[in-house]
Amino acid sequence: NLEEYKQLIENDEGTVSVSNFIGGGPIDTKNDYKNYAEFGTFVHHVVETLQKETIGTSLSILNIFNKKKLESIFNTYANKFTIKQLIEDGEILNMEELYNMTRDILSTVNEYMSRGYTVLPEISILAKDRHNRNIVGRLDILAIDNKGLTTVIDIKTKKINPNVFQDSLSAKYSIS
């Protein structure tokens, strides 16, 4: 499934995002989409990095997270992306906002971890709809409790369409 997903992206095949079914709105350009997707991947990288650093300690991911740590993780992150008024050309423009946004996400993840959940970031899913279109989704974070029950933590970093009542399954050629 992951290999199919990667191939779709590499081949630039048309896909329908799962978030289109729940009110997701269009990104203005393909480059904007890639930047927002990369920003999401960066946030996952922050979570994973902090998780690794706290394994075997009594510290939480929030205990070790600060602006200096965020800047260090950002500076060693291989892929560059631009988010208007936040990050541009590999430079943080607004550290306070980036820190607060990331801390909010980490707080949610930390809550699950403190309750004993196993937290798995970035799981890709791929399926076909009734029109044989590629439906692509990414579980931002999957939290699994000790009984095997799961919770999906969905991080939204793109525009949301206010018209959530539209039947996106009826639009036969609606792809992005």
Side-chain angles (χ1 to χ4, degrees), residues 80-149:
K80 302 302 176 206
F81 54 94
T82 295
I83 304 294
K84 188 175 180 179
Q85 299 178 347
L86 187 67
I87 296 165
E88 190 171 320
D89 297 324
E91 298 292 324
I92 299 171
L93 302 179
N94 188 338
M95 173 55 87
E96 192 68 27
E97 184 64 19
L98 180 60
Y99 174 79
N100 289 334
M101 290 169 64
T102 307
R103 185 169 173 82
D104 287 348
I105 294 165
L106 291 175
S107 294
T108 300
V109 172
N110 190 67
E111 176 63 27
Y112 282 94
M113 292 173 68
S114 71
R115 295 188 338 219
Y117 282 69
T118 299
V119 174
L120 305 172
E122 270 195 327
I123 297 174
S124 298
I125 57 173
L126 174 66
K128 296 278 189 181
D129 72 359
R130 67 182 181 216
H131 302 293
N132 203 36
R133 294 177 297 184
N134 296 312
I135 306 299
V136 176
R138 174 143 323 176
L139 305 180
D140 292 322
I141 299 172
L142 184 65
I144 307 168
D145 73 8
N146 60 4
K147 294 178 183 173
L149 299 175

Side-chain angles (χ1 to χ4, degrees), residues 8-168:
L8 283 175
I9 300 305
E10 287 173 9
N11 294 339
D12 199 23
E13 293 184 37
T15 63
V16 178
S17 170
V18 168
S19 58
N20 284 350
F21 298 139
I22 55 170
I27 297 291
D28 293 333
T29 69
K30 188 173 184 174
N31 198 43
D32 287 345
Y33 177 84
K34 288 181 179 179
N35 279 314
Y36 281 105
E38 193 60 49
F39 175 61
T41 302
F42 168 71
V43 171
H44 293 283
H45 176 70
V46 172
V47 171
E48 288 180 46
T49 300
L50 297 175
Q51 281 180 306
K52 288 176 186 174
E53 291 184 21
T54 58
I55 291 173
T57 73
S58 60
L59 299 172
S60 75
I61 58 176
L62 291 177
N63 291 138
I64 65 170
F65 184 68
N66 55 45
K67 291 176 187 170
K68 184 176 179 181
K69 174 68 77 177
L70 177 60
E71 185 172 25
S72 172
I73 294 169
F74 180 82
N75 288 336
T76 59
Y77 186 68
N79 300 330
K80 302 302 176 206
F81 54 94
T82 295
I83 304 294
K84 188 175 180 179
Q85 299 178 347
L86 187 67
I87 296 165
E88 190 171 320
D89 297 324
E91 298 292 324
I92 299 171
L93 302 179
N94 188 338
M95 173 55 87
E96 192 68 27
E97 184 64 19
L98 180 60
Y99 174 79
N100 289 334
M101 290 169 64
T102 307
R103 185 169 173 82
D104 287 348
I105 294 165
L106 291 175
S107 294
T108 300
V109 172
N110 190 67
E111 176 63 27
Y112 282 94
M113 292 173 68
S114 71
R115 295 188 338 219
Y117 282 69
T118 299
V119 174
L120 305 172
E122 270 195 327
I123 297 174
S124 298
I125 57 173
L126 174 66
K128 296 278 189 181
D129 72 359
R130 67 182 181 216
H131 302 293
N132 203 36
R133 294 177 297 184
N134 296 312
I135 306 299
V136 176
R138 174 143 323 176
L139 305 180
D140 292 322
I141 299 172
L142 184 65
I144 307 168
D145 73 8
N146 60 4
K147 294 178 183 173
L149 299 175
T150 60
T151 299
V152 175
I153 303 169
D154 191 20
I155 302 167
K156 286 294 172 221
T157 58
K158 69 176 193 173
K159 297 177 183 178
I160 300 298
N161 185 345
N163 184 10
V164 297
F165 300 108
Q166 155 186 345
D167 179 9
S168 57

